[in-house]
Amino acid sequence: MPVFNDIIFENRADATMKLLDILPKDRMISEKWFLVSVSTQGIPIVNMIANELNLDYDLLFCEPIYAPNNKDCIIGMVSETEEIVLNNALVDSFGINLNFIYAEAHRQYEEKILPKVYKYRKGDLIGSLKGKSVLLVDEGCETGITIATAVKTVINEQAKTVSYAAPILSADVANALEIVTDEIFSVYKIQNFVDIEFYYKILKELNSENILEIINNSKNYWPFQKRGEN
């Protein structure tokens, strides 16, 4: 088990290089895996992997659903295909009505997800994943509800295989994901996980301009490549 100082990444680039060391690169290239970032903050990591292996990637948009009387309490998540994953324990303990959840999910879709779709994909929803070997990627994973939503979305989009990669994630989340994913790749799986920022020396929050700069200059960002072919 690594000691504390061994598990801090300098930055996203450092984390990505260490993640690349454990990925099945030859197999990914030969099978033409399709990469999907499950957050805008994971785009630099996905972009680096895609550039290194010359693979295409996309960005999947998900937004949290909050408890009606506590805007800091996430009770679920909705994706751009309107797949919903709930924390049933919280929903039951708060006695939250399903009508509220579906209405709130739709509101998040309309107010948060669709504007991102227009900003980062020029209005196109995520392309077909049917028959593809998909690798979901992020900079880290704390609770697992976002990645669970992404996995459900990709499975329902008929991907051939669904794997997940992150430089660091909670060991509890890793155990849960093993049931629903084909493979998990992580540099470190941490017991008593604190939060993602805790394990990076520098983890600058990226704004929309940062993200647009990366994808606009990427030869591997599939939505823009696809648009160029039309």
Side-chain angles (χ1 to χ4, degrees), residues 13-226:
D14 177 43
T16 305
M17 294 307 296
K18 290 174 179 174
L19 183 58
L20 273 164
D21 284 341
I22 66 169
L23 289 176
K25 295 183 284 292
D26 291 342
R27 180 154 54 94
M28 291 171 67
I29 293 169
S30 66
E31 296 176 2
K32 295 183 179 180
W33 285 21
F34 189 73
L35 312 181
V36 176
S37 178
V38 299
S39 75
T40 55
Q41 301 304 300
I43 280 289
I45 293 176
V46 177
N47 186 66
M48 285 182 64
I49 296 172
N51 185 62
E52 179 73 18
L53 305 183
N54 194 27
L55 296 172
D56 294 324
Y57 73 93
D58 206 335
L59 174 59
L60 178 66
F61 301 107
C62 300
E63 286 293 327
I65 303 168
Y66 296 99
N69 298 317
N70 187 344
K71 296 307 179 183
D72 293 322
C73 180
I74 297 174
I75 59 170
M77 193 76 62
V78 59
S79 77
E80 65 181 84
T81 61
E82 298 197 75
E83 299 293 344
I84 298 173
V85 170
L86 299 177
N87 184 325
N88 290 314
L90 289 178
V91 171
D92 292 342
S93 65
F94 293 147
I96 301 172
N97 188 285
L98 288 179
N99 289 332
F100 166 84
I101 292 173
Y102 294 136
E104 184 65 11
H106 187 69
R107 186 181 71 82
Q108 292 288 64
Y109 177 81
E110 294 279 345
E111 296 181 5
K112 299 288 183 66
I113 290 178
L114 285 183
K116 290 181 180 179
V117 168
Y118 279 94
K119 178 177 289 187
Y120 299 115
R121 283 215 220 94
K122 312 301 184 186
D124 295 330
L125 292 174
I126 192 165
S128 174
L129 301 176
K130 185 176 181 178
K132 293 183 179 180
S133 296
V134 175
L135 180 66
L136 300 167
V137 185
D138 207 353
E139 61 188 3
C141 186
E142 297 177 28
T143 66
I145 194 165
T146 299
I147 186 60
T149 307
V151 168
K152 182 179 180 182
T153 299
V154 170
I155 289 174
N156 286 342
E157 290 297 306
Q158 302 180 58
K160 179 181 178 181
T161 63
V162 184
S163 302
Y164 177 62
I168 196 162
L169 73 158
S170 161
D172 290 340
V173 171
N175 291 336
L177 287 176
E178 285 179 355
I179 302 171
V180 295
T181 58
D182 292 281
E183 296 181 83
I184 298 173
F185 307 99
S186 182
V187 181
Y188 296 113
K189 298 172 184 175
I190 303 300
Q191 299 286 351
N192 303 315
F193 196 92
V194 180
D195 59 47
I196 295 172
E197 290 185 7
F198 185 79
Y199 303 102
Y200 285 81
K201 284 188 177 179
I202 300 173
L203 192 66
K204 177 185 175 183
E205 183 172 354
L206 304 173
N207 58 33
S208 59
E209 287 76 16
N210 301 140
I211 302 302
L212 287 170
E213 181 179 5
I214 293 171
I215 62 178
N216 281 328
N217 290 290
S218 174
K219 63 183 179 66
N220 302 103
Y221 187 58
W222 176 241
F224 293 172
Q225 304 236 7
K226 180 179 64 175

